[in-house]
Amino acid sequence: MRSPLVRGGLITPPRSPAPPPRRDVSDQLMLKEVRLEHVLERAARFRGQVFPAQSALYERLASHGQSPKALMISCADSRVVPELITQAAPGDLFVCRNAGNIVPPFSTANGGVSSAVEYAVVALGVRDIVVCGHSDCGAMKAFSNPDALNQMPNVAAWLRHAHAAHSVVCAAYHGLDDKAATRALALENVVVQLNHLKTHPSVASAMAKGELALHGWFFEIESGQILAFDGGTERFVTVEENSRLPVAYSAAVRRAAPDMIAEAAE
């Protein structure tokens, strides 16, 4: 036991160490402003230091329009940057980001993701669509802690489009801790969203004509590794440099009733 302290002839108990100073709301706002200031400074430097080296590319994109090679649907997580992961140049990717890299099944109700998909396939003529999940996904973690969504009803409603993936993990994966379960859920969610994509008329028709391939990726934030879903084996495999990229649904003509086509030709 520590001895009491003697101060001015009075015995007083020892003081506990002073707690670290709390930052009030104004301090927190100031920190955010400083961080935003740095972002704005970098944006200002882009015009003077980065843009000149790529000015010809931007001029061509402005005059001739965009013709991206692929649509990439990824999570809005700030740690997942599609253009950086793919080393894409301006104009290479048409990108749609949202919480959980979700693609709602097609319906008559309008939505941002559905509109992006339709525009990419019909207007831009992309030949590939990538759904990209990632490790440590906050949206997938929510299934292990549903109470965290009590104050976020819109997020809770949005995540219903991933419930099928959650059901798969609950039924087919056993003995996983929370971290492993979240990873399994994030992987299965990519597969679920690929299946949702195929319900969109623009996607279904382009696939039937052999003009569109679908890809399922998983980005490991901690290692930079990319896993890709192989539609042949129905498993995710590690993508190695200079090796064949696995495809979930390859671009191939798909007609369930080829005999009908032959009869119509006659």
Side-chain angles (χ1 to χ4, degrees):
M1 179 181 294
R2 296 179 60 186
S3 301
L5 302 177
V6 179
R7 292 183 179 172
L10 298 176
I11 299 177
T12 59
R15 286 185 176 181
S16 58
R22 291 186 59 186
R23 298 188 185 276
D24 59 21
V25 174
S26 61
D27 287 338
Q28 294 174 9
L29 290 175
M30 186 177 297
L31 284 173
K32 290 181 180 179
E33 289 174 0
V34 169
R35 295 190 188 104
L36 180 58
E37 185 176 325
H38 291 329
V39 172
L40 295 176
E41 286 176 357
R42 290 195 294 270
R45 287 200 298 271
F46 169 81
R47 177 64 182 87
Q49 300 177 19
V50 178
F51 181 82
Q54 301 186 25
S55 60
L57 171 60
Y58 279 102
E59 287 175 7
R60 186 167 64 253
L61 290 171
S63 60
H64 297 290
Q66 62 172 327
S67 55
K69 300 174 178 64
L71 163 63
M72 191 161 182
I73 301 169
S74 68
C75 188
D77 193 300
S78 62
R79 301 165 295 177
V80 181
V81 184
E83 295 85 351
L84 185 61
I85 294 170
T86 60
Q87 295 294 284
D92 283 350
L93 286 181
F94 193 66
V95 178
C96 178
R97 301 177 67 174
N98 64 70
N101 44 272
I102 281 171
V103 181
F106 178 77
S107 69
T108 55
N110 188 33
V113 179
S114 299
S115 298
V117 169
E118 188 173 81
Y119 185 81
V121 175
V122 177
L124 298 178
V126 300
R127 302 298 298 263
D128 297 273
I129 299 179
V130 180
V131 175
C132 184
H134 67 95
S135 60
D136 196 44
C137 181
M140 299 301 104
K141 286 181 177 179
F143 284 93
S144 298
N145 183 23
D147 290 343
L149 298 176
N150 288 342
Q151 301 302 315
M152 295 182 282
N154 286 319
V155 176
W158 178 250
L159 290 181
R160 75 181 187 275
H161 299 302
H163 279 182
H166 183 238
S167 296
V168 169
V169 173
C170 290
Y173 294 77
H174 306 288
L176 300 181
D177 59 22
D178 285 349
K179 183 176 181 179
T182 297
R183 180 182 174 84
L185 178 54
L187 288 163
E188 291 289 352
N189 181 55
V190 171
V191 179
V192 166
Q193 305 314 320
L194 286 172
N195 288 328
H196 288 175
L197 260 177
K198 295 196 296 179
T199 69
H200 290 248
S202 58
V203 172
S205 59
M207 291 181 69
K209 293 185 291 183
E211 297 176 352
L212 183 66
L214 305 184
H215 308 262
W217 291 3
F218 182 84
F219 175 63
E220 290 186 342
I221 295 173
E222 60 274 24
S223 68
Q225 186 67 62
I226 294 176
L227 307 180
F229 185 70
D230 187 324
T233 63
E234 296 193 338
R235 292 179 179 273
F236 279 89
V237 296
T238 301
V239 175
E240 302 291 350
E241 192 172 0
N242 299 322
S243 65
R244 184 187 68 86
L245 180 67
V247 178
Y249 299 98
S250 60
V253 175
R254 290 179 173 83
R255 296 191 180 100
D259 294 341
M260 300 297 292
I261 298 174
E263 291 177 7
E266 295 174 0

